[in-house]
């Protein structure tokens, strides 16, 4: 069974479900419009900060460390200095109760990240949280970014609506890193805005590696015009060709299509080793039966699919004849809990004295963790931090093992094979095996022709090397 958080309602979680968050905006949790918050406190205590305007924005605040010897304060040179990480957050000031619940969860996760960082990094001061309730309109949100950019912050977490995040990415001139934990829509030119969700090439790259390492050298791709599907098709193409594989054909279909004979017949004509289907989850129920109906699996063409193929709703709805042997991937490995998630969960339960009610805190936790990881690497200014963040690799997070590339968080993916509505681990050299059946009799003679080969009737997951 796939590794997933220990709570039953999280067990089928994979990252196709992150699209749910793309329309979400975050509401106020009762914070004042400008306030500091200790990550271990529920109340927010206001504190005044001097604004600074510099080309190189400082990302950490230097403060005097308390000294047990009062006389040492007379010797300024002897006063030890520590660096205090501060994270800014921009949230809407007015929203529905449901959105307020989501906002509260994201901020809870940020507090947990700050608490964990403070426990493990004694050379830094107690981390603090600075909240602006100015995320209802783009103009106000841009003002908040400008104000926060004048302060000594590690960066900004902005759980805001898509249109506001897009506006910030287009119009903000700040060089301070901004993490969007729930919206994937950002301008490609905005190097300072990083999305935690959305299109992730990790799945396509892992599947390309699996295909190539198991000796499957040619591929065809059928995909939707939907942006994420197109992105995953391109990511697979780049990764597969870089390894040495060949993509013989790519066949795009319009959004809302229900019949795929033209595309599948085109795949049949070129006879690839694999058919890659990075299609939206809602299309899988339509296209999977058509793959078998038009006999592609009987031709020995193996099917590879992105995370949506392993979702519970898909596996429970589609007949196993159409999913058995499909190779897919997930940001969670089978049979184990990732250390990053376990650390988050333990810290969350310790801080809040309750079990995790939903997934919203995991996004706040990872957004803050990325910023803190960059600061821990030694960055002193916003420009240094942006350069450091773009090189982050395999950071243990609550939503997976995280890296940052080209403005998006990329998660390490683990490959598995679908069999009887469950996942089975496959090794890099393994591939799903054909199910062989006796040949059909000749319709005229009602007998099996001499030396007729057995026919392939689908695939099953390999239990040993092929």
């Amino acid at each position: 069974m796939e590794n997933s958080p220990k709570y039953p309602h999280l067990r089928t979680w994979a990252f196709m479900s992150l699209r749910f968050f793309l329309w979400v905006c975050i509401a106020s949790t009762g914070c004042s419009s400008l306030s500091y918050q200790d990550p271990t406190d529920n109340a927010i205590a206001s504190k005044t900060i001097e604004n600074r305007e510099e080309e190189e924005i400082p990302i950490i605040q230097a403060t005097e460390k308390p000294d047990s010897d009062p006389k040492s304060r007379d010797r300024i040179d002897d006063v030890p200095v520590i660096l205090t990480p501060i994270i800014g957050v921009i949230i809407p000031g007015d929203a529905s109760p449901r959105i307020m619940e989501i906002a509260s969860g994201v901020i809870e996760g940020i507090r947990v990240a700050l608490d964990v960082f403070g426990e493990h990094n004694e050379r830094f001061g107690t981390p603090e949280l600075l909240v602006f309730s100015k995320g209802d309109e783009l103009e106000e949100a841009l003002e908040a970014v400008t104000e926060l950019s004048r302060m000594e912050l590690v960066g900004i977490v902005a759980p805001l609506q898509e249109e506001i995040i897009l506006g910030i990415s287009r119009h903000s001139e700040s060089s301070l890193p901004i993490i969007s934990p729930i919206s994937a829509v950002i301008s490609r030119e905005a190097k300072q805005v990083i999305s935690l969700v959305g299109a992730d090439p990790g799945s396509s790259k892992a599947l390309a590696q699996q295909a190539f390492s198991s000796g499957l050298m040619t591929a065809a791709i059928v995909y939707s015009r939907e942006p994420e599907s197109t992105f995953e098709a391109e990511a697979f193409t780049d990764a597969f060709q870089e390894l040495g594989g060949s993509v013989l054909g790519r066949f795009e279909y319009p959004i809302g299509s229900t019949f795929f004979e033209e595309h599948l017949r085109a795949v049949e004509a070129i006879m690839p080793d694999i058919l890659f289907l990075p299609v939206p989850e809602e299309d899988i129920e339509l296209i999977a039966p058509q793959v078998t109906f038009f006999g592609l699996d009987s031709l020995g063409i193996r099917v590879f699919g992105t995370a949506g193929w392993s979702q519970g709703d898909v596996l429970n709805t589609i007949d196993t004849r159409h999913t058995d042997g499909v190779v897919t991937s997930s940001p969670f490995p089978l049979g184990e809990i990732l250390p990053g998630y376990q650390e988050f969960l333990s810290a969350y339960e310790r801080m809040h004295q309750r079990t995790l009610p939903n997934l919203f805190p995991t996004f706040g936790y990872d957004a803050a963790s990325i910023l803190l990881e960059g600061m821990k690497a030694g960055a002193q200014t916003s420009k240094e931090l942006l350069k450091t963040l773009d090189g982050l690799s395999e950071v243990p997070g609550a939503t997976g093992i995280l890296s940052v590339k080209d403005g998006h968080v990329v998660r390490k993916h683990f490959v598995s094979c679908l069999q009887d509505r469950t996942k089975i681990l496959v090794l890099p050299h393994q591939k799903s095996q054909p199910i062989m059946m006796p040949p059909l009799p000749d319709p005229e003679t009602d007998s099996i022709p001499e030396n007729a080969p057995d026919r392939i009737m689908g695939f099953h997951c390999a239990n040993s090397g092929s």
Side-chain angles (χ1 to χ4, degrees), residues 21-42:
F21 301 103
L22 301 184
W23 59 270
V24 178
C25 66
I26 300 299
S28 168
T29 57
C31 305
S32 59
S33 63
L34 172 60
S35 56
Y36 262 120
Q37 186 171 2
D38 186 293
T40 59
D41 292 340
N42 292 323

Side-chain angles (χ1 to χ4, degrees), residues 137-149:
E137 302 292 338
L138 176 58
E139 184 177 352
E140 286 188 346
L142 288 170
E143 289 176 358
V145 171
T146 300
E147 292 179 60
L148 287 167
S149 296

Side-chain angles (χ1 to χ4, degrees), residues 379-426:
Q380 296 290 310
T381 67
S382 57
K383 291 183 179 179
E384 290 178 2
L385 183 58
L386 283 173
K387 184 177 180 180
T388 300
L389 291 181
D390 195 51
L392 284 184
S393 178
E394 299 202 352
V395 176
T399 63
I401 300 174
L402 316 174
S403 300
V404 180
K405 183 176 177 60
D406 298 330
H408 282 82
V409 171
V410 179
R411 292 167 177 83
K412 180 178 180 179
H413 278 66
F414 302 87
V415 176
S416 59
C417 180
L418 304 180
Q419 187 72 43
D420 299 324
R421 307 191 193 280
T422 62
K423 290 185 177 183
I424 296 176
L425 179 67
V426 289

Side-chain angles (χ1 to χ4, degrees), residues 200-280:
D200 183 346
S203 177
S204 295
K205 290 181 177 180
L207 293 171
Q209 178 66 54
Q210 177 66 29
F212 187 82
S213 65
S214 60
L216 303 172
M217 305 298 292
T218 60
I221 307 174
V222 175
Y223 62 101
S224 167
R225 288 179 186 168
E226 187 268 340
E228 187 170 347
S229 179
T230 301
F231 177 89
E232 290 175 328
E234 292 174 349
F236 180 91
T237 300
D238 292 343
F240 196 55
Q241 291 179 339
E242 184 176 342
L243 290 167
S246 298
V247 175
L248 303 180
R250 288 173 40 169
F251 308 100
E252 179 188 71
Y253 63 84
I255 297 173
S257 296
T258 59
F259 197 55
F260 306 95
E261 180 177 10
E262 177 184 350
H263 307 83
L264 298 178
R265 292 297 188 196
V267 173
E268 179 184 4
I270 58 178
M271 288 295 292
D273 293 327
I274 70 167
L275 168 60
F276 180 47
L277 294 170
V279 300

Side-chain angles (χ1 to χ4, degrees), residues 330-457:
S330 165
F332 292 102
L334 297 177
E336 63 178 289
I337 296 178
L338 290 173
Y341 179 80
Q342 186 60 62
E343 182 175 43
F344 158 76
L345 190 63
S346 298
Y348 181 92
E349 293 177 344
R350 181 179 66 251
M351 175 180 287
H352 297 288
Q353 296 297 302
R354 66 172 184 267
T355 57
L356 184 68
N358 52 53
L359 296 175
F360 305 129
T362 64
F363 298 104
Y365 179 86
D366 281 358
S369 295
I370 288 170
L371 292 171
L372 294 169
E373 191 70 22
M375 187 201 72
K376 191 169 65 174
Q380 296 290 310
T381 67
S382 57
K383 291 183 179 179
E384 290 178 2
L385 183 58
L386 283 173
K387 184 177 180 180
T388 300
L389 291 181
D390 195 51
L392 284 184
S393 178
E394 299 202 352
V395 176
T399 63
I401 300 174
L402 316 174
S403 300
V404 180
K405 183 176 177 60
D406 298 330
H408 282 82
V409 171
V410 179
R411 292 167 177 83
K412 180 178 180 179
H413 278 66
F414 302 87
V415 176
S416 59
C417 180
L418 304 180
Q419 187 72 43
D420 299 324
R421 307 191 193 280
T422 62
K423 290 185 177 183
I424 296 176
L425 179 67
V426 289
L427 300 177
H429 64 281
Q430 293 178 325
K431 55 188 175 186
S432 53
Q433 296 299 302
I435 300 171
M436 306 303 294
M437 302 288 287
L440 293 172
D442 185 289
E444 294 183 0
T445 64
D446 197 29
S447 61
I448 297 176
E450 187 177 357
N451 300 322
D454 288 346
R455 56 196 169 96
I456 300 173
M457 289 296 292

Side-chain angles (χ1 to χ4, degrees), residues 31-207:
C31 305
S32 59
S33 63
L34 172 60
S35 56
Y36 262 120
Q37 186 171 2
D38 186 293
T40 59
D41 292 340
N42 292 323
I44 297 177
S46 297
K47 181 189 287 187
T48 302
I49 299 181
E50 177 186 359
N51 290 345
R52 296 177 174 84
E53 296 187 15
E54 300 178 2
E55 292 184 3
E56 290 279 336
I57 302 173
I59 63 168
I60 36 187
Q61 184 183 55
T63 58
E64 293 184 359
K65 184 175 181 178
D67 198 299
S68 58
D69 180 7
K71 293 181 180 180
S72 67
R73 297 214 173 258
D74 296 330
R75 303 190 304 275
I76 297 178
D77 291 342
D78 294 337
V79 176
V81 173
I82 58 173
L83 302 173
T84 300
I86 304 169
I87 289 181
V89 182
I90 304 174
I91 60 175
D94 184 28
S96 68
R98 173 58 176 166
I99 296 176
M100 290 178 65
E101 177 187 8
I102 297 171
S104 177
V106 170
I107 292 180
E108 281 181 354
I110 296 173
R111 292 181 190 149
V112 173
L114 294 175
D115 185 59
V116 169
F117 181 87
E119 286 184 357
H120 297 304
N121 296 277
E122 295 181 354
R123 65 189 179 94
F124 294 97
T126 302
E128 296 175 335
L129 182 63
L130 178 61
V131 178
F132 266 48
S133 299
K134 284 190 171 184
D136 296 290
E137 302 292 338
L138 176 58
E139 184 177 352
E140 286 188 346
L142 288 170
E143 289 176 358
V145 171
T146 300
E147 292 179 60
L148 287 167
S149 296
R150 294 172 180 155
M151 305 173 188
E152 294 175 340
L153 303 180
V154 178
I156 300 170
V157 179
L160 303 173
Q161 297 180 75
E162 284 185 354
E163 60 268 24
I164 295 180
I165 286 295
L166 181 60
I168 290 174
S169 68
R170 286 174 172 172
H171 302 296
S172 174
E173 297 180 357
S174 172
S175 63
L176 200 64
I178 301 171
I179 307 290
S180 170
I182 60 171
S183 174
V185 183
I186 59 176
S187 171
R188 292 185 178 181
E189 288 73 31
K191 303 302 182 184
Q192 83 280 20
V193 182
I194 298 172
S195 174
L196 191 65
V197 297
D200 183 346
S203 177
S204 295
K205 290 181 177 180
L207 293 171

